[in-house]
Amino acid sequence: LFIVLTGIGHAQDGIDIISQRGSVSIMPLYQQWTFGNDGSFSEAGVDVSIYIPVLRELAFTLRNTPVTTAGEPVEKISGFTDTQIGLLYHLEDQHLLFSLGANLPTGKRELTREEFLSNVLLSNTALGMQVTQFGQGVNLNPGVMWSVMAGENVALGLGLTYHYKGIFKPIKGSGEYDPGDEILATAGADWSLGEASNLSIDVIFTHHGADVFDNEDVYAAGNKIVAGIQYSRYFEN
């Protein structure tokens, strides 16, 4: 949201909300953990991202990360992960930015019990693994953001996103898992307090639906509100 507001605020300087520079990013990754005498495991892969500005107001993104895990106590899993695609469309006259993200289930699903337990370990945030799971269901993530200059020094913005999470089987032979859908609402304001300083305020509200496994609710995170205030000042050398 802050980036969108800043871009709108400096539109007169020729900054495009939709970047007009296409790119291809290929980033090899390798991580290894050793647990004393209890074993060692590693994860190796290649993160591939493509960004294509189709038109001045339209851009397309594509991302996948082929990866292999091996070692103890991790079961060997290798192959493609799910593919993420995205679209951005800027409706300039109405100050609107539309987005659509999609997760396509190209990765490994219906894991064996051993592979699933390995995924549980990889998803532990303390380990900081780059790839924490291989595959899930179809996800769709449409959203819209609106931003406008409210005077010479103030920019305001609102955003709304809906995250649909599709049903999938996490373990071969198990029941179906339906992650709860999410609704994300954002609001922000950015004040320019001079040539070298600015103040920004952002509020994010998230509603998490209940996760359902075999037609039973198993987890419900509820609602979350995050607010932030940031003051920035730049100093000359």
Side-chain angles (χ1 to χ4, degrees), residues 31-232:
Q31 294 174 273
Q32 181 174 359
W33 280 91
T34 301
F35 300 99
N37 297 323
D38 295 330
S40 173
F41 74 90
S42 62
E43 181 177 88
V46 180
D47 188 304
V48 180
S49 300
I50 300 173
Y51 174 81
I52 303 173
V54 182
L55 302 169
R56 182 177 180 273
E57 65 276 3
L58 179 66
F60 170 80
T61 61
L62 175 70
R63 181 182 181 186
N64 197 296
T65 309
V67 69
T68 297
T69 62
E72 292 291 341
V74 171
E75 184 77 7
K76 183 176 181 179
I77 313 174
S78 62
F80 288 92
T81 58
D82 283 355
T83 300
Q84 283 84 45
I85 62 174
L87 289 172
L88 283 175
Y89 180 73
H90 183 211
L91 198 58
E92 187 173 359
D93 292 341
Q94 280 70 41
H95 308 293
L96 292 171
L97 181 67
F98 295 93
S99 63
L100 176 63
N103 180 87
L104 305 181
T106 56
K108 185 176 178 62
R109 294 182 296 168
E110 296 194 37
L111 306 175
T112 65
R113 182 179 181 276
E114 291 75 17
E115 291 172 337
F116 178 78
L117 293 176
S118 296
N119 249 14
V120 172
L121 176 62
L122 294 172
S123 62
N124 190 319
T125 55
L127 300 178
M129 305 303 292
Q130 292 294 313
V131 178
T132 58
Q133 62 180 8
F134 281 75
Q136 50 182 307
V138 174
N139 292 352
L140 295 175
N141 193 14
V144 59
M145 287 186 288
W146 171 83
S147 57
V148 66
M149 293 298 298
E152 294 184 359
N153 301 318
V154 181
L156 303 175
L158 298 172
L160 183 64
T161 303
Y162 180 77
H163 192 175
Y164 165 78
K165 300 181 180 182
I167 299 173
F168 68 101
K169 288 187 177 182
I171 305 176
K172 187 177 298 184
S174 72
E176 293 184 329
Y177 185 74
D178 185 6
D181 297 345
E182 297 179 9
I183 299 175
L184 178 75
T186 62
D190 187 78
W191 287 270
S192 176
L193 305 178
E195 294 183 358
S197 61
N198 75 294
L199 177 69
S200 61
I201 299 176
D202 294 289
V203 178
I204 304 171
F205 170 80
T206 308
H207 170 73
H208 301 273
D211 291 5
V212 178
F213 181 69
D214 256 358
N215 298 318
E216 292 187 12
D217 291 358
V218 293
Y219 181 75
N223 300 325
K224 179 175 69 174
I225 299 177
V226 177
I229 300 177
Q230 177 177 282
Y231 172 77
S232 301

